[in-house]
Amino acid sequence: MYKVVIGLEVHCELKSNSKNFSGAANQYSSDPNTHVATVDLGLPGILPVINEEAVRKSLMIALAMNCEIPSYLIFDRKNYFYPDLPKGYQITQMHHPVGTNGYVMINVDGEDKKVLIHDTHLEEDTASLDHFGNFSLIDYNRCGVPLLETVTEPCLHSAKEAIAFLEALRSIFLYTDTSDARSDMGQMRCDVNVSLMEENAKELGTKVEMKNINSFNNVKLAIEYEIKRQTEILEQGGKILQETRRFDTEDMCTYSMRSKVDAIDYKYFIEPNIPPVKITSKWLEQIKKEIPKLQYERIQEYMTEYGLSRYDATILVKEKSTAEYFEKALQEGGDPKLVANWITSIILGHINKYEISMEEIFVTPKMLIDLIQMVSDGKISSKQGKEVLYQALQEEKEPIKIVEESGMKQIGDDNEILKLCNEVLEEQPQAIEQYKKGRTNILDFLVGQVMKKTKGQANPATTRTTMKEEIERR
Ligand code: ADP
Ligand code: MG
């Protein structure tokens, strides 16, 4: 058994009106090659200008990841030639990135873990290439889009931890509204480094890098495949070659692309056309204030302050809008566990079914609390309450109105329920016989009959106990 060591380099496109160093729009969903400025094409004599919004968003992410922030940002040139990079160099950050030495908390199988962040740096995306048989097409719309690269230390030890980190990182982007982080649209892509080492070895093993994997599931598959491949080589006494491999989604395995290029091959030097960007503490304070409470913190709070299970807390914070809805409902006086239950069991089902967001639903937190109150007060049964909520969501009608208009009420009176139970038992003599013979689950059927008679208005718990007592008395 070898110890698995994984380090990730995650690229994420930032949201902004314009590109990182030019005024062209940052919108690559439009027709190809419609948002391209001279800077993006690297035409001679054209100077780049840094996008303040992209810097602000990068700083926000760096702060959210608990990074150290330098007092000046400096940009560097990374030289290499490729058709997707017409300038012949990428503007990136080598020595003074937006953030260093940070960490992101994850939880895997109930255990907390600090994922160490080596650095996060602002750079520009390349153009996108589409390959067809013997020719390729290129779209420069993506060329120059602000790209934030986050590099972890080699501190992850399983595919599960890697995925948990990627999910945590994506949620930071979504909560801070700095990127849509959609991996299906290539907005979030990951280079995965994997190595193996003897359990008590002092040095890390030789790593293999897999570039540009764009779905979390493929990250998982690529890691699992690499662990298997490297284990086999080591077990046969072989050596791992330091190289870049490509994960092939059709064959589900990795192929060698090239032996690793060292940093020195890129001939980095300070980008002379972009002056250092001063980061004042005032600006940082302002950005800090704009960072909302993040997923991890909210999960802790929901568990310790509201007594929710980790499972429910995790569901509620998955989308920021759901967490905000939940918290607003609590401000309206809702009981945390009840509110959590109504949201996870009904409202989330509704928004998933119709592929809408929490912000689009008609039922406000206040309406939900009023409905829960009607159930707690015994005005309507919880079964009725659920139906009212479904109807309110579907028909966009206030729960209180639905209850009023339908004349819904709950029959909770013991004598009335007793009368109903006896009525049903008289109608179903054979059910009593069967019950006596041991088919006790026929009780469900009998309770159902009372519900039918009362159109669901009978209090189910009272009906059940009364019905049981009545049968057994006979
Ligand atoms: P390079 O100089 O080859 O780019 P870096 O030290 O900059 O390597 O690390 C790049 C990425 O590879 C980081 O995410 C880091 O955590 C990861 N990494 C470094 N060494 C290893 C290793 N032995 N096993 C797994 N991942 C590693
Ligand atoms: Mg590196």
Side-chain angles (χ1 to χ4, degrees), residues 114-128:
K114 229 179 207 182
V115 178
L116 303 176
I117 304 299
H118 178 275
D119 76 271
T120 185
H121 56 266
L122 180 57
E123 55 187 33
E124 52 180 337
D125 211 344
T126 57
S128 39

Side-chain angles (χ1 to χ4, degrees), residues 250-434:
E250 270 168 35
D251 300 348
M252 286 298 163
C253 65
T254 62
Y255 292 107
S256 180
M257 279 168 77
R258 55 172 149 98
S259 63
K260 175 77 181 155
V261 181
D262 278 324
I264 197 159
D265 296 330
Y266 293 120
K267 308 283 187 287
Y268 281 95
F269 62 84
I270 289 179
E271 167 59 47
N273 291 329
I274 300 188
V277 180
K278 186 165 171 45
I279 311 294
T280 61
S281 47
K282 196 172 149 221
W283 196 22
L284 282 183
E285 281 314 311
Q286 207 179 320
I287 296 172
K288 247 185 220 162
K289 279 196 206 120
E290 288 163 30
I291 302 177
K293 211 183 281 173
L294 300 170
Q295 245 188 12
Y296 183 84
E297 267 176 275
R298 281 189 154 120
I299 291 178
Q300 302 304 311
E301 189 178 304
Y302 293 3
M303 286 169 56
T304 53
E305 286 182 32
Y306 307 140
L308 299 191
S309 65
R310 175 176 296 282
Y311 182 80
D312 282 344
T314 307
I315 294 177
L316 290 172
V317 303
K318 192 149 183 271
E319 304 277 340
K320 187 170 88 179
S321 50
T322 310
E324 284 172 349
Y325 188 99
F326 171 71
E327 289 170 22
K328 276 199 200 107
L330 299 195
Q331 282 162 16
E332 295 287 349
D335 169 79
K337 280 189 185 162
L338 283 179
V339 173
N341 198 1
W342 286 82
I343 293 178
T344 55
S345 66
I346 299 178
I347 298 183
L348 289 181
H350 177 82
I351 69 169
N352 289 338
K353 183 167 162 201
Y354 293 99
E355 294 182 355
I356 52 174
S357 80
M358 208 68 179
E359 283 130 344
E360 290 169 83
I361 63 168
F362 173 79
V363 177
T364 60
K366 172 84 171 73
M367 290 183 203
L368 177 65
I369 296 311
D370 290 343
L371 176 64
I372 296 176
Q373 195 59 46
M374 286 190 277
V375 175
S376 310
D377 293 347
K379 279 201 189 117
I380 56 171
S381 69
S382 64
K383 185 161 174 286
Q384 287 170 328
K386 277 183 190 152
E387 274 154 21
V388 170
L389 184 52
Y390 280 124
Q391 201 181 337
L393 290 163
Q394 289 277 355
E395 295 173 14
E396 313 217 320
K397 211 166 172 182
E398 265 196 67
I400 290 197
K401 286 225 175 78
I402 297 175
V403 172
E404 273 170 16
E405 285 173 17
S406 66
M408 222 178 251
K409 58 180 193 317
Q410 172 165 249
I411 302 170
D413 181 70
D414 291 351
N415 285 329
E416 202 169 333
I417 287 178
L418 179 64
K419 205 174 118 230
L420 286 160
C421 287
N422 280 314
E423 263 175 49
V424 167
L425 287 173
E426 256 143 57
E427 288 159 17
Q428 310 283 351
Q430 72 290 6
I432 304 175
E433 257 170 61
Q434 297 212 11

Side-chain angles (χ1 to χ4, degrees), residues 58-194:
S58 312
L59 289 169
M60 189 176 260
I61 295 296
L63 288 169
M65 295 194 302
N66 310 291
C67 286
E68 290 163 21
I69 315 283
S71 43
Y72 284 93
L73 296 190
I74 305 217
F75 289 86
D76 298 278
R77 265 190 202 191
K78 179 178 181 181
N79 296 281
Y80 68 98
F81 174 76
Y82 207 66
D84 64 10
L85 187 81
K87 294 200 300 306
Y89 60 86
Q90 181 190 37
I91 305 179
T92 178
Q93 296 188 294
M94 178 74 167
H95 301 293
H96 300 271
V98 265
T100 50
N101 296 324
Y103 66 89
V104 169
M105 295 302 297
I106 58 169
N107 186 283
V108 177
D109 297 332
E111 253 178 71
D112 285 328
K113 180 184 168 97
K114 229 179 207 182
V115 178
L116 303 176
I117 304 299
H118 178 275
D119 76 271
T120 185
H121 56 266
L122 180 57
E123 55 187 33
E124 52 180 337
D125 211 344
T126 57
S128 39
L129 283 160
D130 245 333
H131 303 288
F132 305 85
N134 62 353
F135 70 98
S136 299
L137 295 178
I138 188 153
D139 177 7
Y140 286 102
N141 283 354
R142 202 181 71 180
C143 195
V145 163
L147 196 65
L148 192 71
E149 176 173 355
T150 301
V151 182
T152 74
E153 296 290 353
C155 64
L156 297 156
H157 300 293
S158 65
K160 230 178 183 178
E161 286 186 4
I163 303 301
F165 169 72
L166 289 173
E167 279 170 353
L169 187 58
R170 171 185 277 160
S171 92
I172 294 177
F173 282 109
L174 294 178
Y175 266 64
T176 53
D177 197 29
T178 47
S179 170
D180 290 329
R182 287 189 51 174
S183 37
D184 61 331
M185 289 175 68
Q187 292 168 344
M188 190 170 176
R189 317 185 294 263
C190 185
D191 299 344
V192 182
N193 301 274
V194 180

Side-chain angles (χ1 to χ4, degrees), residues 5-9 151-154 193-195 204-205 207 242 260:
V5 176
I6 301 166
L8 300 175
E9 296 160 278
V151 182
T152 74
E153 296 290 353
N193 301 274
V194 180
S195 70
L204 296 179
K207 76 175 152 91
Q242 175 161 343
K260 175 77 181 155

